[in-house]
Structure formats: structure tokens, C-alpha cells
Amino acid sequence: GASACQGGVCFDLSRMDAITELSLEDFSVTVEPGVTRKALNKHLRGTGLWFPVDPGADASLCGMAATGASGTNAVRYGTMRPNVLNLRVVLPDGRLLHTAGPGRQPRKRAAGYDLTSLFVGSEGTLGFLTQATLRLHPLPEATAVTVASFPSVAAAVACTVQVLQAAVPVARIEFLDEVMADACGRFSGTGLPVAATLLLELHGSRHSLAEQQQQMEEIMRQNGGSGLAWAEGLEEREQLWSMRHNAWYAALALRPGCQVRHKDGDDGCSAHGAVSAIALPSLPQGYSTDVCVPISRLPDVVVETKQDLQASGLTGPMVGHVGDGNFHCILVFNSQDPEEAQRVHAFTQRLGRRALAAGGTCTGEHGVGLGKRALLQEELGQEGLDTLRSIKAALDPHNLMNPGKVL
């Protein structure tokens, strides 16, 4: 995200790390850009509140806003966009902008254009985010997690759709295909069955949780799900989610000696915990795709993508926040093999266009960066792209902010 593709200066705001205001009654907090999500939740310990947006790594909260970060809790609590109430932005000409007005933090507003949402996900192209006011949520009284194995990818994804259609208030619902389940099980030592897998988490009162568990078990069994033991203890739950959050590293371990080269749109890396790196000679690389489609189209798109992977002869375990219709293929390949690298590129382009054809988006959370600018034009059309360029020109006429990215 900080790669200066046209040269430039990188600003480090990590030492601006103050939590400047906390209002328990208003369920809001104001933080500077150096505050990370784990530091905030540690600060909130004992208040009964938390900040649930969870991209995996201990990302900075203003970085998460700038990249429009998401994560495992988004199906219930939303992405960064609905959880940011106000931003303080230094514009390219040095003016200071409060996107919802100085000191304001209403839960909703209809006053003019939504400037806050404009800057959330702007990938550093419109200004510096120097403060964020965030929405907090009550901690659930009770939490339960289960891991279920399914006879096929189609069955696991169909189960996801049915859970959402049944209005079960699931907090997290994560998908691993059989390759990823095997990799995660071996990497974390948990020994998952080599099968399409769902990890599901429920939040609620103890009474409501029992009802939700019963409903979930029925839907999962109807789709061939097995191994439905519930974990309610904190340590066991954290172990399961640690396994899921380490999926990137588990995938890289499928070809030892891998070096990170994160995702096709490159501006989400600070929010998703990967470090951009130049590959050492002859070492394989990891490349994570990221598309999002309407829930109704998710089963077909996932199955078609799985077939495309197999036909392409690529190593690409699948993982996803399928409760949002969002999934990833982590492609592990030899960067020194031009033929394999070309197959990876061709696959990612087909995947992006498959998502667009299904009424989805070429990026659900990783951003456009450099690699998806052509897909962005296909997604928005010329009128949409011209509108983005007009906004960019109005706020940054000299193209000072992250030039070359997005547009």
C-alpha cells in the first residue's frame, strides 16, 4: 500500500497513538492513526464494549479506514465503512477536513454528501487520515463456535446461503475448501478433516444461543455437515480463529520457501497483515485474490472457480468470508516460471470478470491498488470512472496523494 510507484515520500503516523475520547454512553471512541485494533480492544476491556472489525492482523484503525478493511465479523457487524462516524483528514493542500463536522459523532446523518464514506476505502489517494471516530458495539453475553465438514464445496456454500436465508444472526461464517482445511489443520496442529469446511460463530444471550445452535445444526445436517461440536470456552475459541487467521501462512507452507507478494489489488496489505516483499530468486510466491458476489450467486461462482483452478493446474486453496459473499484463492506459484506466472495472471482476470458477470465486485476488501484498475473500469463503466477522476482532481489537482493507485 505504501509502494511509491511514481516515487515520493512515505509518511509514518504510527507514533500518533492516542485514544483521545471515549464515550461509553454514545458507543463511540476517537483514535489517532497509530492506534491498532488490538490496542483499542485492550483499552476497552472491562467496559462491556468492543470494536469488532477484524481483518486478522493487528492493523492500525486509520489504516483500516483508508483501505476499507473487513474481516470475519463483517457478516454481523459490518465492514469499516458503517463503523466510521467521522474522520479528520489533512487534504493535499494542507486544509483540515472533519468529514462529519468537528466533534460530531451521530449514529446517522442526512446532511449533505457522505464525505466520511468517500474517504473510507480511498486507499491514500485523497488525503491523510489523522483521526477516526468509530462506532463501538456491546460485547455478547455468550459466544459459541463450531467447525463443520461437508461432502463438497457446493454443499458447504449452499449451507451458508440457507443459514442466511433462515435469518440466523450468525456473527462469523467462514469457508475453507478441502485444500485449505488440510493446510490449516497441518499448520496449526488442529488436524481438520480434509473436506470443505465451515467455521461458524454465534453471539447472543445464553437462552437465545441454545435456540440458534439447534437451528444451525439442523441446517448443517440437511447439507451433509458433520462434526458439529460447539466450543464455548475462550481458549478453545481463540485457537480455532487463530487457525483461520493463519490461513495465509498455511497456504504458503504448501510450497516451502514461499515469500509474500500480497494480493492483486495491493493497497489493503497494511489492513490485512501482510508485508509487501520482493521475492528472493527462485522462491515461490503467494498471491491472494479477492472477489465478492451476491449471496444467491455464491454457490455457482465458488464451484466454477474451483473447477477453473483445477483446470489451470494451479495451487490455490480457497478461503472466504462467505456470509458476505466474499472469498479468496491464495495462489502459491513459482515467480521465476513465466508460464506459471502467466497462468496465475490469466486466472485472476477470469475470476474478477466472473464476479462482475455475477453482479458482484472485483474486490470485496483488498482494494484496487495497481492490479485491478482495468477491472474497476469494467465494474463502474466510463461514467463512474470519470466521476471518480473528477473527485480526485477536485481534492488533489496536483496528483500528490498515492499517485498511480486506483485510477
Side-chain angles (χ1 to χ4, degrees):
S3 56
C5 58
Q6 297 182 13
V9 177
C10 180
F11 286 77
D12 178 5
L13 307 182
S14 61
R15 287 193 285 179
M16 294 178 64
D17 58 359
I19 297 174
T20 58
E21 185 178 351
L22 171 61
S23 176
L24 302 181
E25 296 83 2
D26 292 324
F27 294 81
S28 66
V29 66
T30 301
V31 300
E32 290 184 339
V35 180
T36 67
R37 67 173 187 89
K38 288 184 179 179
L40 174 59
N41 281 324
K42 182 178 179 181
H43 183 81
L44 294 171
R45 197 169 293 162
T47 65
L49 301 177
W50 70 315
F51 187 71
V53 182
D54 171 19
D58 189 19
S60 71
L61 291 157
C62 282
M64 288 165 61
T67 57
S70 183
T72 59
N73 287 307
V75 65
R76 176 159 183 167
Y77 299 98
T79 66
M80 282 301 289
R81 200 173 301 277
N83 285 290
V84 178
L85 302 174
N86 201 348
L87 290 168
R88 184 180 68 192
V89 183
V90 177
L91 297 173
D93 61 5
R95 289 178 297 157
L96 198 62
L97 168 69
H98 295 265
T99 57
R104 305 194 187 282
Q105 49 189 14
R107 303 287 282 187
K108 64 179 183 179
R109 58 191 301 274
Y113 302 137
D114 189 350
L115 296 178
T116 303
S117 288
L118 174 63
F119 282 88
V120 174
S122 59
E123 301 186 36
T125 61
L126 299 179
F128 295 103
L129 309 189
T130 62
Q131 189 182 77
T133 301
L134 307 171
R135 180 193 304 261
L136 300 178
H137 297 260
L139 278 166
E141 177 189 339
T143 302
V145 181
T146 191
V147 180
S149 300
F150 292 84
S152 68
V153 166
V157 180
C159 179
T160 300
V161 174
Q162 290 172 31
V163 166
L164 297 173
Q165 289 173 337
V168 180
V170 62
R172 310 188 198 190
I173 182 164
E174 296 287 302
F175 165 73
L176 312 173
D177 75 351
E178 72 281 2
V179 182
M180 183 61 85
D182 184 36
C184 285
R186 287 191 281 126
F187 186 81
S188 64
T190 55
L192 282 180
V194 183
T197 300
L198 292 180
L199 283 76
L200 303 103
E201 182 167 289
L202 301 172
H203 293 175
S205 67
R206 298 196 181 279
H207 174 74
S208 67
L209 213 59
E211 184 179 339
Q212 292 172 30
Q213 286 171 297
Q214 184 178 0
Q215 191 176 8
M216 290 278 284
E217 289 173 7
E218 183 179 342
I219 295 172
M220 287 189 284
R221 287 197 181 98
Q222 288 172 354
N223 288 278
S226 60
L228 308 175
W230 292 91
E232 298 188 17
L234 178 60
E235 185 176 346
E236 194 176 1
R237 287 189 284 112
E238 287 184 344
Q239 184 182 24
L240 287 171
W241 288 116
S242 176
M243 174 194 69
R244 164 61 184 88
H245 285 316
N246 284 327
W248 171 260
Y249 305 103
L252 294 182
L254 291 172
R255 290 176 71 167
C258 288
Q259 184 78 344
V260 173
R261 180 183 178 186
H262 196 59
K263 69 181 99 27
D264 33 9
D266 65 356
D267 268 329
C269 58
S270 61
H272 287 78
V275 178
S276 293
I278 299 172
L280 299 176
S282 77
L283 288 183
Q285 291 184 337
Y287 188 105
S288 178
T289 68
D290 161 50
V291 295
C292 188
V293 299
I295 293 295
S296 63
R297 297 299 310 277
L298 183 63
D300 290 341
V301 172
V302 169
V303 169
E304 289 169 15
T305 301
K306 183 76 172 172
Q307 293 169 344
D308 192 356
L309 270 173
Q310 293 168 343
S312 301
L314 296 171
T315 301
M318 298 175 68
V319 61
H321 318 304
V322 285
D324 302 319
N326 182 203
F327 70 93
H328 317 287
C329 302
I330 301 178
L331 300 162
V332 187
F333 69 105
N334 182 355
S335 61
Q336 301 303 306
D337 181 344
E339 189 274 335
E340 187 178 17
Q342 177 56 38
R343 279 189 286 132
V344 167
H345 175 73
F347 170 82
T348 61
Q349 295 299 301
R350 288 195 302 274
L351 177 57
R353 292 188 171 96
R354 183 178 301 121
L356 295 181
T361 176
C362 66
T363 173
E365 56 187 11
H366 291 175
V368 173
L370 295 170
K372 290 192 172 180
R373 290 179 298 178
L375 289 171
L376 177 67
Q377 179 164 1
E378 294 178 30
E379 182 169 328
L380 295 182
Q382 192 60 51
E383 294 78 10
L385 207 63
D386 288 346
T387 302
L388 291 187
R389 288 197 174 104
S390 296
I391 294 170
K392 170 73 169 172
L395 293 175
D396 185 16
H398 301 295
N399 198 24
L400 300 175
M401 304 300 297
N402 223 356
K405 301 295 181 68
V406 183
L407 299 172

